[in-house]
Amino acid sequence: MDRLTDLWLYLAASPLLWLTLTLIVFMFALWLNRLAKGSPLLHPVLVSMAIIISILTLTGISYNQYFEGAQFVHFLLGPATVALAVPLYDHLAKVREIMALLLVTCVSGALVAAMSAAGVALLMGSMPETVMSIMPKSVTSPIAMGISEKIGGYPSLTAGLVLITGAIGCFVAPLVFRLMKIEDHRIRGFVLGVSAHGFGTALAFEISALAGAFAGLAIGMTGVASALVLPFVATLFR
């Protein structure tokens, strides 16, 4: 007990407490997701967010204090994204075969996702700032937050909407694939990457390495296309 007490006092006095808490919560969320047979409704990221937000709210800990430790995990987001280039390189020949089709799919998918969401938000009477926050919802979080800030949205709201979009995409996509009888892993992966970004890419890698490679490609292409196009599209909804 003395050793446990000493360990707790050491962690509580350093940012390692929040890093340790984040890892423990995520491991629990992974276990819960496996228990639910991989249900997107209990995605580990969403479950972890709900638990950590609840802990911070109950204890009165500020986000800045929590982020002192969690920033170490946040730092790994960049290398993890870059690492998606490895499986993509392994399947580069297959990418070249349909590159023109992928470009059309990426740009049209990004536009439809942004404009349909913005249109629904306007019909429901949302404020312009909320509409701008919703538009980049189908882009991976770091890029989506940058786009949201540039076009006049709320980056924090955009980050939450990105996660919700990813979870919904993972839930709906398998049903759409079965309904439309889509068996090609290239198409499955690219669709998941365009519509559900990081969440979809994780699901694509569960399908196959080929699907994961195309999902990783879709994340990058959609991010670039959205960053170039959405600032102009946003002027239509102001």
Side-chain angles (χ1 to χ4, degrees):
M1 288 299 295
D2 291 338
R3 290 183 178 179
L4 290 175
T5 301
D6 292 340
L7 177 61
W8 169 255
L9 291 175
Y10 172 73
L11 290 174
S14 72
L16 289 177
L17 171 63
W18 305 112
L19 175 62
T20 305
L21 174 67
T22 302
L23 296 176
I24 291 174
V25 168
F26 188 72
M27 289 173 64
F28 168 75
L30 281 174
W31 172 82
L32 187 63
N33 185 256
R34 293 192 189 102
L35 195 66
K37 298 181 179 180
S39 171
L41 297 177
L42 289 175
H43 194 284
V45 175
L46 292 179
V47 173
S48 299
M49 283 179 54
I51 294 174
I52 290 176
I53 289 173
S54 299
I55 292 174
L56 295 182
T57 301
L58 291 173
T59 58
I61 301 297
S62 68
Y63 175 77
N64 290 335
Q65 184 176 346
Y66 163 76
F67 193 71
E68 289 180 4
Q71 64 181 324
F72 300 110
V73 177
H74 183 267
F75 169 78
L76 295 175
L77 179 61
T81 304
V82 174
L84 293 173
V86 176
L88 178 60
Y89 179 78
D90 293 336
H91 300 282
L92 193 57
K94 294 181 179 179
V95 172
R96 288 173 177 167
E97 292 176 0
I98 54 173
M99 179 54 74
L101 179 61
L102 295 180
L103 287 171
V104 173
T105 303
C106 173
V107 174
S108 59
L111 285 174
V112 169
M115 296 181 71
S116 60
V120 171
L122 284 175
L123 288 175
M124 297 180 68
S126 298
M127 296 175 59
E129 293 81 2
T130 304
V131 175
M132 298 301 109
S133 303
I134 292 174
M135 289 184 68
K137 66 176 180 57
S138 294
V139 186
T140 188
S141 296
I143 300 177
M145 294 173 70
I147 295 173
S148 177
E149 183 176 10
K150 183 176 180 62
I151 64 178
Y154 302 117
S156 56
L157 175 59
T158 300
L161 292 170
V162 166
L163 295 176
I164 295 172
T165 300
I168 294 174
C170 289
F171 180 75
V172 173
L175 302 177
V176 174
F177 294 153
R178 285 196 295 269
L179 181 64
M180 301 186 67
K181 299 180 180 180
I182 298 174
E183 301 295 338
D184 191 325
H185 286 193
R186 298 174 302 174
I187 298 176
R188 286 189 172 200
F190 200 79
V191 168
L192 283 167
V194 169
S195 60
H197 37 81
F199 282 32
T201 300
L203 179 60
F205 273 106
E206 294 181 11
I207 298 173
S208 70
L210 178 60
F214 273 79
L217 174 63
I219 286 182
M221 291 177 63
T222 304
V224 172
S226 298
L228 293 174
V229 174
L230 290 192
F232 298 101
V233 176
T235 59
L236 302 176
F237 294 91
R238 287 198 176 98

